[in-house]
Amino acid sequence: MNAHRLNHHDIQAVKTFEARSKRKARNKRLALRTALLGWLLVPLIAAGLFEGLVR
């Protein structure tokens, strides 16, 4: 009985670890996409400000 509980506990621990790893990887991808989008917008904003100063 104890061996069964230990095995079940180990399986649950691995599942939890895997879920956490997947969640962290998804969050990193989201952060990377957000950062890339932000850096793509910087030149557009700068160009708009520069155009405003020229006028």
Side-chain angles (χ1 to χ4, degrees):
M1 194 69 170
N2 285 337
H4 173 72
R5 286 185 183 163
L6 180 62
N7 289 337
H8 176 72
H9 181 267
D10 290 344
I11 290 168
Q12 291 304 111
V14 169
K15 285 182 180 179
T16 301
F17 182 78
E18 288 175 344
R20 189 177 345 161
S21 296
K22 287 179 184 177
R23 202 167 47 244
K24 286 176 78 174
R26 188 182 67 230
N27 289 342
K28 282 185 179 182
R29 284 192 307 270
L30 180 61
L32 179 61
R33 288 179 188 152
T34 303
L36 287 174
L37 181 62
W39 281 111
L40 288 173
L41 290 176
V42 166
L44 296 175
I45 294 169
L49 291 174
F50 182 73
E51 184 181 337
L53 291 174
V54 171
R55 286 188 180 184

